[in-house]
Amino acid sequence: MVARHTISGAGIMRGLEFAKSGRRLVTNSSDRILRHFNLPMYAPPTADREYIEQELEPVYRLNDPINKIAWHNMSYSPDGEWLAGGAADNATHKIYIWDIANEGQFASVLDIFVSRKIRGDIYFL
């Protein structure tokens, strides 16, 4: 172990996702906020097993300020420049997108329409 971090004020942690580079982290919490972190560079582990212990502060707090929806899942783009959050609302099926490379600005919301056939397969239209 090289580091142990705490995240305060987030409530119950529902999930986390690392960007492919390992330098970015997003957490999903019961308070309905996605928190994005830029992780520091870590030194290799020491022989005496010392490690960094500190609280992480989010760079961005991302949410839906109008509907206050919960999040089902989140994922970074392969280059780590974009973040997508899937709304935990079975009625709307929305995916929110933020531009992490541009100060975490909200970029778009995608409405996914789902159609079901009789045998139970799901098709995206």
Side-chain angles (χ1 to χ4, degrees):
M1 178 167 65
V2 295
R4 181 170 69 179
H5 298 288
T6 56
I7 300 169
S8 64
I12 297 169
M13 193 76 60
R14 304 178 97 197
L16 58 91
E17 176 85 16
F18 286 94
K20 192 175 189 178
S21 68
R23 302 270 309 160
R24 291 181 169 171
L25 167 70
V26 63
T27 61
N28 178 11
S29 304
S30 61
D31 64 357
R32 300 176 179 210
I33 296 174
L34 298 178
R35 287 171 174 79
H36 164 78
F37 302 90
N38 290 330
L39 299 175
M41 292 293 292
Y42 298 107
T46 62
D48 57 1
R49 298 181 182 236
E50 290 183 14
Y51 58 89
I52 299 167
E53 188 166 358
Q54 68 185 55
E55 184 171 339
L56 279 181
E57 283 295 323
V59 177
Y60 308 119
R61 289 177 172 86
L62 311 167
N63 64 354
D64 177 349
I66 297 169
N67 299 317
K68 306 283 188 207
I69 59 162
W71 303 101
H72 177 66
N73 208 345
M74 63 272 169
S75 182
Y76 285 102
S77 61
D79 63 2
E81 303 283 314
W82 300 87
L83 177 68
D89 183 353
N90 291 333
T92 61
H93 303 289
K94 291 186 179 192
I95 298 173
Y96 292 72
I97 307 214
W98 293 273
D99 185 352
I100 297 301
N102 192 14
E103 299 181 0
Q105 287 187 355
F106 175 72
S108 184
V109 63
L110 305 174
D111 288 314
I112 307 297
F113 299 99
V114 178
S115 173
R116 293 184 187 264
K117 286 202 163 194
I118 294 174
R119 66 177 199 204
D121 293 339
I122 297 175
Y123 296 91
F124 294 97
L125 304 174

